[in-house]
Amino acid sequence: MAEEIDDNDFYRENFSADSDWEVFNAQLGEILQKWDVTANGDVGRCLQPEELFRCKWQVESETLDMLSNGIEVEHYQAQLEQEEDSIKEGLKENSCLQRTQCHQDLMSSGNSFGPPIRISSNELHTLSRIYGLRRFIVLHPVKASVNYMKSTAEFNFFLSAAAVVAAEVGSVVPIFVQIYDPKWNFFTGVSLAPALRTNFRLIGLEKAPPECRYLMGLLTLFREKVPASYPQSAKVSVCTTYALDTMRIRMPMYVPFDHGLNSEDIVVAGEVLHVDVQHFSALPHGYTPESCTEIYLVYTWPELSEHVAFDSEQRTDFIPSKAPLGKVYLSVEASSYLSCCLRDYQAVASVTRSLESYVGRNFSGTSSGAEAINPLDKLTEHKLSKRRERSYELPSQAGLTKRLPGPMTESELRELLAYLFPDMHPDMALFPYVKQSFKNKVSAPQRKSLFGYSYLSFHFFLQFDPVRIKSAVPDSLVCRLSCVLATSHAHSGSLEGMAQLWAAFTRHLRLLWDNSLTVPGIASGYPDTRTCLLHQKLQMLNVCVERRVKREANSTRKEQQQQQQQAQVISDDEEEDEGEFFDCDEPHQGSGSPIKAVLSLKPEGRLRRLGDERLLDEPEEYLYIPETQEPVPKTEDQLQDDAEVMLKLGPGSGLTTQMMCSSLLSDMEAFKAANPRSQMEDFIRWYSPKDWEEVKDETGEITHQLSVRMTTEGNTWQTVWQQAQPVPIARQKRLFDDTNEALKVLHYLENRKMHEIYNLTIIPVLHSSILKLIDVFSNAKVDDLFSPQIEQLLADLCRLSRSQSDDLPPIAPLLDDLAELERRFYQFKCFERLSGYPRKSSLEQVKLQFLEILRNENCCTIVNRKLTAAGDGTLYDILIPKLEHDMNERLISKDYIIRLDGDSRSTEKGLYLGPQFMRAIVTGEKLRLCGAFTESTAFV
């Protein structure tokens, strides 16, 4: 019968192949070895009180191919302050062989209870909040919110794998497995030590037995889980949390130039408090009706013996009046209209539509006067025709705000333009420009007379430092325009309203140029590259207007002189006798050259003498400084374009030389005209004295000569000197064409796309927003509280404004910091009301306590019996009566922690029993038990 069986057809199973469990163990072991989870890398100092809630955390993550979607392994480790190596070695030598960092953290009472509110900037992991661990590993499925573990078989699979791998690699770091839905925060884990194993378990009950909601019943439950070999009593830590009424303070919305839009019509319970500002700014302020502050009172008993306190259904010793430590936590949820306005304006950065798509073509209205002139009329124009004189009286402005499509009416738009151009709308000019604000230095009496600000706010308002922030002078036209654009975008028609206002603004600029009037609210002088580009463009337009006015005035004066000379010549001719004539000889060849030579030696365009200096070749003639053309102003983008052109052409290009030496050629020609018998050495003596060097000859006499760079063969200065002709500036071609440059500026502003307008104005908007906050804080007398945050905002804005990249860096972090600062101010106003100001406490007391809130993550101590016997004296007396009548109704949670530790002084293996830990969180009838119970793995 056995001979009939075919071995080839018999089914065989390959038991030598690795199973999924073994493959997972191998992969997990490699990861744990890379993270150094052995006892050698697990030595550290004891934790400071509440250090885990303040420190930063490092999270490393690896993904393993397991199950359908993989398993993610995360390593959490607190970044504590580094201790010295000698101290670290001493801790390693003196510590118990079986006691690990996990055991130390479980027994540490300084990090038992964290704040009752979550801190968004430093979200602490649930396991660290429950057990107080500084280092742990978590295993959970990828996309755990969808594919979470549900069955006991999956729990045991990964937990057993974690225990086996931890034993193989000698890991002493706790390893947890996340089970069930992640929002439930259920974990099971294990931690190994020499001859010890600590099991972490979590249990949740929707309706717990009454005896398990109090300390007495929990101690009974704890003793049932712990071996009877522990001789000492357990240590108990208790924390009770009470919730006071949510505080709401209504700060109504204020939108400038929108008289019908406010939030006072919304009925919301709470005190109404208006935000006071002393300096008008075209930005909204106020807080949304949903803004509120939740107040929690937390009373803590850090460490008690289990036999000291009594807590049951009938009687409890854990009441606020007996607590040794009490704190108040303020959780603020406030949204400011200013931050909302800035975030809405940030969206314009991605809009690439042109301005014409909103307001149509030819929105600039009447064309410029220079563009309206027919070139042929210049040929037939009579020389004695009357030139256009400058008129300071504005023409009719009818139509400047009409025919512009947009959501704003003509009256609304005119009110905004009256704010930007108060001189052009004297009947509506409520906010004229302060001339002192455009000066760099202001005297002490002016500081008090102008605004009456504190020194900090005044320093930022008037003493604008362009070296720091590349913006514009506060309350200048650039800042006003930027703020009005942001406000119009948020409250007056979004992009359409913003485009309508920008088009009306460019119309007014053309009107000013056509009437030779300077743009108001702009710092005088050449374009300052330390300011923003929009400010430089408007400065350039003002320079063009000033040059135009000066040029036309000179032209008018010369025409008047010519008319007088012609009239004098006519009168002289009439008086002369007309009867006597003389014959002229025929002109000889070359007879004109001496005359031209004599005429060419006639000096022209002299300004003044250069001291007592004389010409080198003509010692009898003085050296005269010529009248020269003014320097050519350029904005930042023009300088960058010139640099790119010269970089592409190269240093040997003739066009590069012409671009660099146009001003030099003009000055040389003017110098030759003023000093006909001069030479290049004379020019250098005036133009570049450093290149006229003193030297000693062989006899020791001091002489002068040109420097090496001036005498080098092919020197540009020599080439330009040879090309220069004696031409005074009256007959030179203008280096700076004011008409052309002004039209360039107007064309530049009229052809900006929406995102380009945003880039031109975002820095002034942010700068003005910070200044508005300074104004609000100054009026509330809390500017000293928030001065570090203000300084940090200004420093961040400085780096942002001076970024060298072509694209503007993201401003979201700055907006988040600004919004956080506004939330802090709302929190202060709520805390001010909670403290009973002004009847029960002074402003200095409130500010001192709120400073502790800023430093301690929204927390302020109201009682600390280790330091004082009666607590704070103000908040303590104010808050305790609020809990006397409805204490049980305001109690939202009780937190019990029971600890029991073995003899950690024992250095022999097997004598240390390990820590026992149980935490009970009671919220109403719900109970969550979190246990970490240690058992011995040594065989006796």
Side-chain angles (χ1 to χ4, degrees), residues 575-643:
E575 295 177 358
E576 291 180 356
D577 295 332
E578 300 179 357
E580 189 174 0
F581 295 91
F582 300 92
D583 295 331
C584 295
D585 298 333
E586 293 294 331
H588 299 283
Q589 184 178 2
S591 62
S593 54
I595 299 176
K596 292 182 179 179
V598 173
L599 293 177
S600 63
L601 295 178
K602 182 181 178 181
E604 296 181 271
R606 286 180 172 179
L607 183 61
R608 66 178 183 276
R609 289 195 312 184
L610 182 62
D612 293 331
E613 297 292 336
R614 298 175 183 269
L615 299 179
L616 295 179
D617 290 346
E618 300 291 337
E620 297 180 357
E621 293 190 15
Y622 287 99
L623 179 62
Y624 286 88
I625 299 175
E627 294 179 351
T628 58
Q629 297 194 46
E630 297 183 21
V632 178
K634 287 184 180 293
T635 58
E636 186 177 16
D637 57 337
Q638 292 176 328
L639 294 174
Q640 186 176 0
D641 293 341
D642 292 346

Side-chain angles (χ1 to χ4, degrees), residues 264-511:
E264 295 183 0
D265 300 333
I266 304 176
V267 179
V268 179
E271 178 186 353
V272 177
L273 179 65
H274 292 272
V275 178
D276 295 330
V277 292
Q278 197 167 358
H279 183 79
F280 179 81
S281 176
L283 288 171
H285 60 250
Y287 292 83
T288 58
E290 297 80 12
S291 301
C292 64
T293 298
E294 297 178 353
I295 305 171
Y296 300 95
L297 299 180
V298 179
Y299 296 96
T300 306
W301 290 259
E303 192 172 80
L304 301 172
S305 175
E306 63 176 311
H307 305 296
V308 172
F310 185 84
D311 180 51
S312 66
E313 293 184 81
Q314 291 77 23
R315 182 177 66 86
T316 179
D317 293 333
F318 302 119
I319 57 177
S321 59
K322 297 182 179 180
L325 182 63
K327 296 183 178 181
V328 56
Y329 287 85
L330 277 73
S331 174
V332 58
E333 292 292 337
S335 179
S336 167
Y337 290 111
L338 176 60
S339 297
C340 295
C341 175
L342 296 178
R343 293 188 187 280
D344 291 344
Y345 194 57
Q346 185 186 8
V348 185
S350 59
V351 179
T352 58
R353 290 180 58 182
S354 63
L355 190 63
E356 292 182 351
S357 62
Y358 293 96
V359 295
R361 294 185 178 182
N362 299 325
F363 59 86
S364 58
T366 177
S367 60
S368 173
E371 292 176 332
I373 296 177
N374 187 352
L376 297 179
D377 293 341
K378 303 295 291 183
L379 299 177
T380 58
E381 181 183 2
H382 196 278
K383 293 183 179 181
L384 300 180
S385 61
K386 186 176 180 180
R387 298 180 60 88
R388 180 178 60 86
E389 296 182 356
R390 183 188 185 193
S391 174
Y392 288 92
E393 296 181 0
L394 292 178
S396 175
Q397 301 179 23
L400 278 179
T401 56
K402 293 181 179 179
R403 302 186 304 276
L404 274 180
M408 287 185 283
T409 62
E410 181 181 351
S411 59
E412 293 174 342
L413 193 57
R414 190 166 183 265
E415 186 178 10
L416 296 179
L417 294 173
Y419 173 64
L420 299 178
F421 303 96
D423 295 339
M424 299 178 66
H425 303 268
D427 56 329
M428 303 176 63
L430 300 178
F431 306 100
Y433 290 107
V434 181
K435 294 182 179 180
Q436 287 86 347
S437 64
F438 299 99
K439 297 180 180 180
N440 293 329
K441 296 182 179 179
V442 183
S443 61
Q446 289 174 338
R447 298 177 184 174
K448 298 180 180 179
S449 62
L450 287 177
F451 300 104
Y453 289 161
S454 66
Y455 175 75
L456 175 67
S457 59
F458 178 85
H459 173 74
F460 288 122
F461 265 104
L462 296 185
Q463 294 186 348
F464 171 63
D465 185 8
V467 178
R468 290 199 62 187
I469 301 174
K470 199 169 184 178
S471 176
V473 178
D475 199 41
S476 63
L477 175 60
V478 173
C479 292
R480 290 190 179 189
L481 172 65
S482 304
C483 296
V484 171
L485 285 173
T487 304
S488 300
H489 177 265
H491 301 283
S492 299
S494 188
L495 292 171
E496 290 76 8
M498 175 182 168
Q500 185 183 13
L501 177 60
W502 181 266
F505 169 74
T506 57
R507 275 187 175 184
H508 272 62
L509 292 183
R510 277 199 175 269
L511 179 66

Side-chain angles (χ1 to χ4, degrees), residues 691-882:
D691 290 304
W692 188 244
E693 300 176 346
E694 292 184 356
V695 294
K696 290 184 179 180
D697 57 9
E698 297 177 354
T699 61
E701 294 183 1
I702 298 178
T703 59
H704 293 79
Q705 66 179 17
L706 293 176
S707 62
V708 176
R709 76 183 188 106
M710 291 295 174
T711 56
T712 305
E713 185 178 356
N715 182 268
T716 305
W717 291 67
Q718 295 179 358
T719 305
V720 176
W721 178 262
Q722 294 173 1
Q723 296 176 356
Q725 300 296 325
V727 182
I729 62 170
R731 297 197 300 270
Q732 287 183 8
K733 180 182 178 182
R734 282 186 293 167
L735 296 177
F736 179 74
D737 189 347
D738 49 71
T739 303
N740 188 30
E741 293 298 328
L743 296 180
K744 284 182 181 179
V745 172
L746 295 174
H747 183 267
Y748 174 86
L749 297 176
E750 291 168 352
N751 287 271
R752 294 301 90 192
K753 296 182 179 179
M754 300 306 294
H755 72 283
E756 293 173 335
I757 297 176
Y758 166 84
N759 292 336
L760 289 173
T761 56
I762 184 59
I763 299 298
V765 166
L766 294 175
H767 189 199
S768 301
S769 301
I770 298 175
L771 296 181
K772 186 180 182 70
L773 289 183
I774 294 175
D775 188 15
V776 173
F777 298 161
S778 176
N779 281 276
K781 300 179 181 179
V782 294
D783 47 349
D784 54 338
L785 271 179
F786 301 106
S787 58
Q789 292 88 336
I790 289 292
E791 286 285 356
Q792 185 61 43
L793 281 176
L794 291 172
D796 295 340
L797 181 59
C798 178
R799 288 190 293 269
L800 187 69
S801 64
R802 298 189 175 276
S803 175
Q804 300 298 327
S805 60
D806 296 335
D807 298 331
L808 188 69
I811 65 170
L814 183 64
L815 293 181
D816 294 339
D817 294 341
L818 195 144
E820 176 63 23
L821 187 57
E822 290 190 278
R823 283 194 293 269
R824 288 294 191 179
F825 179 71
Y826 185 88
Q827 186 182 37
F828 172 80
K829 301 306 290 185
C830 293
F831 183 74
E832 187 180 57
R833 179 184 173 191
L834 178 67
S835 303
Y837 173 80
R839 290 178 298 175
K840 297 182 180 180
S841 60
S842 64
L843 182 60
E844 294 301 324
Q845 289 177 326
V846 176
K847 290 165 63 174
L848 186 62
Q849 293 167 344
F850 189 77
L851 189 61
E852 183 182 354
I853 291 178
L854 294 177
R855 293 173 178 173
N856 298 334
E857 299 291 346
N858 304 311
C859 167
C860 176
T861 302
I862 57 177
V863 57
N864 189 348
R865 298 189 185 277
K866 291 183 179 180
L867 302 178
T868 57
D872 170 76
T874 54
L875 276 178
Y876 181 81
D877 298 334
I878 293 173
L879 298 178
I880 285 295
K882 296 184 178 182

Side-chain angles (χ1 to χ4, degrees), residues 163-182:
V164 170
V165 173
E168 289 179 353
V169 302
S171 172
V172 294
V173 177
I175 303 177
F176 294 88
V177 179
Q178 188 172 20
I179 60 179
Y180 299 120
D181 196 331

